[in-house]
Amino acid sequence: MRSALRLIAINVALLLAAMLALNFLSALALDLRDGAHALSGGKRDARIDLPAYADKAAATQIFNDYYKTSARYTAILGWTMRPMTSATLTIGQDGRRSTGLPPGGPVTLQMFGGSTMWGTGADDRHTIPGLLQARFPAITVENNAQSGFTSRQSLDALINLLNQGRRVDAAVFYDGANDVAFYCNDRLSLNGDAYELVFRKLIEGNLRGGSRVAGWLNAILFRDTFALAGVVGDWLNARLHPGAAQAPDGTAAPNYVCDTDPKRAMAVAELMLADWRLADALVSKSGGTFIGVLQPIAYVGTPRTDYLDLDPTLGRQYRAVYPLVLRLMADRGITYAVDLTDAIDGTDPVYIDWAHVTAAGNARIAERIGAALAPRLPN
């Protein structure tokens, strides 16, 4: 009996030692990767080599800085960016990206959206908020966008400003890309977010009995192993499916259904318009003006996309939902909604993927938003 117990104890000890060794080696591999990343000046993003970027050196700096960013958990919103300062990108202590220009007067324009409004692929001054700050130097433009945010998260961000007494003389929601990409995936719920499945797994796991022990074991034995597995998985996915959008939960391919499920497509369209309606009511009640912008996307209109490797399945989701949004906007006579789906049409190579654009593309979008805002801004 003692021999059997001793054998079991030895096997358990060997198993734990193997797990610890695996986690240590995984942590070492991640550290080596981060060190190589730092020595090389950052990850080279394939988008740098697209014809959309004439100045490859400037684009390289933009993406080197971009890959230095990281997110932190933020209650209600889900996440915001950590503070950082670099040559092309500045994020404040509040998690908001700078416009690269000094603020103007007390009149405040609050901008909301996902990574396209945040400014992926551009330096601070050539994001949409940065360009609008240059156009309206007498007012203060603030960038409240965060990578991955849907219109629902923008609504939460707006509420956070209002319930803290922040000034909102005008607000712009720039939506469409993330609402469709996430909510047309039936693995996520309506009113969910990009990391819904990750948060759910973590929270539900910690609420089970023995959560302290399970959490300790996960942190000591598995955390870095799982992190390395995620890095390897992302690497393989990028090479097997180079044109596909990143899986919203970072673990498995999304299951897009809007092109085959008209009810889901309509629900996605209605949800975004409902978020805009609520935002308009809140801003108007505060004495401000609101504009909801249906953002341009590479799958809609007539932009140049011949140099892009686009995911046709994702494209079918936008072609299912966007016409519904436009029809509902027209049928309901929504005066605060602006259609910018044609803003990037033409022969110039402006897109760097299915949603993000260069500084030149942001300038075209900012010009259209500025024209819509000018008569509505307070003096």
Side-chain angles (χ1 to χ4, degrees), residues 180 183-184 256-262 264-265 268 316-317 320-321:
V180 172
Y183 295 147
C184 283
Y256 293 125
V257 298
C258 283
D259 56 328
T260 57
D261 184 349
R264 181 76 174 204
V268 174
R316 288 194 292 272
Q317 311 313 304
V321 175

Side-chain angles (χ1 to χ4, degrees), residues 265-281:
M266 180 59 77
V268 174
E270 290 277 18
L271 186 69
M272 190 173 73
L273 290 177
D275 290 335
W276 288 2
R277 183 175 67 252
L278 291 167
D280 175 62

Side-chain angles (χ1 to χ4, degrees), residues 87-100:
T88 68
L89 199 162
T90 303
I91 301 172
Q93 292 297 319
D94 57 4
R96 295 190 300 179
R97 187 173 184 179
S98 169
T99 64

Side-chain angles (χ1 to χ4, degrees), residues 69-291:
T69 62
S70 61
R72 60 187 175 188
Y73 171 73
T74 304
I76 305 300
L77 302 179
W79 61 89
T80 54
M81 288 294 188
R82 295 181 185 277
M84 68 165 284
T85 301
S86 64
T88 68
L89 199 162
T90 303
I91 301 172
Q93 292 297 319
D94 57 4
R96 295 190 300 179
R97 187 173 184 179
S98 169
T99 64
L101 292 168
V107 173
T108 303
L109 167 59
Q110 304 286 359
M111 311 291 291
F112 300 86
S115 55
T116 45
M117 176 63 79
W118 182 84
T120 297
D123 62 271
D124 290 337
R125 295 184 65 171
H126 292 94
T127 62
I128 297 170
L131 291 162
L132 286 170
Q133 182 66 79
R135 175 173 178 145
F136 300 111
I139 70 173
T140 295
V141 180
E142 297 186 345
N143 188 349
N144 299 280
Q146 298 287 340
S147 292
F149 268 23
T150 62
S151 59
R152 182 65 177 83
Q153 287 169 292
S154 291
L155 181 61
D156 288 332
L158 171 63
I159 292 172
N160 282 355
L161 292 184
L162 293 172
N163 73 6
Q164 294 173 44
R166 294 287 299 277
R167 185 162 181 168
V168 183
D169 296 293
V172 173
F173 276 30
Y174 189 71
D175 295 311
N178 291 336
D179 286 71
V180 172
F182 298 145
Y183 295 147
C184 283
N185 171 18
D186 72 354
R187 299 181 72 240
L188 301 177
S189 63
L190 295 174
N191 275 330
D193 60 47
Y195 291 96
E196 174 184 357
L197 300 185
V198 173
F199 289 152
R200 183 187 302 167
K201 184 176 180 180
L202 290 172
I203 293 171
E204 290 178 355
N206 287 335
L207 289 178
R208 295 193 187 101
S211 60
R212 289 185 180 180
V213 174
W216 179 83
L217 288 173
N218 178 66
I220 298 300
L221 303 178
F222 303 115
R223 181 185 61 191
D224 291 316
T225 302
F226 288 160
L228 181 61
V231 170
V232 174
D234 289 344
W235 183 86
L236 289 172
N237 186 59
R239 280 148 185 79
L240 293 173
H241 308 286
Q246 184 178 2
D249 68 342
T251 59
N255 185 39
Y256 293 125
V257 298
C258 283
D259 56 328
T260 57
D261 184 349
K263 289 185 178 179
R264 181 76 174 204
M266 180 59 77
V268 174
E270 290 277 18
L271 186 69
M272 190 173 73
L273 290 177
D275 290 335
W276 288 2
R277 183 175 67 252
L278 291 167
D280 175 62
L282 288 169
V283 175
S284 298
K285 186 71 173 178
S286 301
T289 185
F290 171 81
I291 292 178

Side-chain angles (χ1 to χ4, degrees), residues 321-351:
V321 175
Y322 265 41
L324 296 177
V325 174
L326 293 171
R327 191 187 78 196
L328 293 172
M329 285 166 51
D331 290 348
R332 296 171 184 175
I334 301 176
T335 59
Y336 51 77
V338 176
D339 173 21
L340 290 193
T341 54
D342 63 346
I344 309 299
D345 286 355
T347 58
D348 295 335
V350 177
Y351 278 106

